[in-house]
């Protein structure tokens, strides 16, 4: 029998906003669970492959973790890598599918 966990916060949607909410919850000593309907940052995953963001990588940074990109405005692939690194760095409880 699996143990059941009670979460302080359940976040529906694991995009940048959901990730940011979970990070901030952790800083406030609250447990958070992110539920994503598809892959990690599913909405960004489905953006056009060659897409470039309108915002700079600095404006997209979360949790004081630098968002390093080759150009001023990051690509879809760079964003996907960045958000995956955030999930690992903060050890977020992120459940896909």
């Amino acid at each position: 029998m699996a143990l059941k966990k009670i979460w302080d916060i359940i976040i529906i949607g694991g995009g940048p906003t959901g990730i940011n909410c979970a990070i901030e919850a952790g800083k406030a000593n609250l447990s958070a669970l992110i539920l994503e309907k598809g892959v990690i940052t599913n909405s960004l995953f489905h953006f056009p492959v060659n897409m470039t963001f309108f915002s700079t990588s600095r404006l997209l940074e979360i949790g004081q973790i630098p968002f390093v990109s080759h150009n001023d405005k990051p690509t879809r692939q760079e964003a996907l890598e960045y958000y995956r690194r955030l999930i690992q760095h903060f050890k977020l409880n992120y459940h896909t599918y």
Side-chain angles (χ1 to χ4, degrees):
M1 175 194 263
L3 295 175
K4 292 184 180 182
K5 167 106 172 121
I6 296 176
W7 301 95
D8 295 314
I9 299 171
I10 296 177
I11 300 164
I12 308 299
T17 301
I19 292 169
N20 195 26
C21 289
I23 291 169
E24 292 303 315
K27 289 178 182 178
N29 292 319
L30 299 171
S31 63
L33 170 66
I34 300 172
L35 299 176
E36 174 58 65
K37 71 176 179 180
V39 297
I40 292 174
T41 59
N42 193 63
S43 59
L44 297 179
F45 179 79
H46 291 288
F47 282 1
V49 175
N50 295 320
M51 192 203 88
T52 300
F53 284 78
F54 293 110
S55 296
T56 64
S57 56
R58 183 172 178 185
L59 291 175
L60 296 170
E61 288 180 358
I62 295 175
Q64 298 179 329
I65 302 297
F67 186 158
V68 179
S69 61
H70 295 291
N71 296 305
D72 189 38
K73 297 180 179 181
T75 65
R76 168 192 169 270
Q77 186 60 39
E78 289 170 330
L80 291 172
E81 291 171 14
Y82 176 69
Y83 295 119
R84 287 182 184 122
R85 279 197 329 268
L86 286 174
I87 292 164
Q88 291 174 345
H89 176 80
F90 289 101
K91 296 178 176 69
L92 301 179
N93 297 301
Y94 195 110
H95 291 254
T96 57
Y97 298 100

